[in-house]
Amino acid sequence: MPVILREESYELWLDEKVSTTELKKLLEPFPSDEMKSHPVSSQVNYTDIDNEDLVKRVDAEVGTTPSLF
């Protein structure tokens, strides 16, 4: 399961010198009411594509039902 971190935790999470104990404190459920979602390109399904465009909002195709899979 992926970890969702608050922005103020990024630096600590990426610090190679921080203890495992400190990192484990960051592993808590992220509040669902603070999550946001939007449709993205189907290119996210291809492992050979990795760029910042993957998280940009796209218009859902008319007449289709967006799917998570």
Side-chain angles (χ1 to χ4, degrees), residues 21-63:
T21 304
E22 288 299 309
L23 290 175
K24 284 183 179 180
K25 292 178 185 177
L26 300 176
L27 303 179
E28 57 184 34
F30 195 85
S32 60
D33 61 335
E34 294 183 35
M35 293 183 194
K36 298 178 183 175
S37 66
H38 60 265
V40 296
S41 167
S42 61
Q43 290 186 349
V44 299
N45 297 318
Y46 301 99
T47 57
D48 58 328
I49 300 173
D50 185 19
N51 61 57
E52 62 276 359
D53 291 337
L54 296 177
V55 296
K56 289 183 179 176
R57 176 183 291 275
V58 298
D59 293 330
E61 293 180 33
V62 176

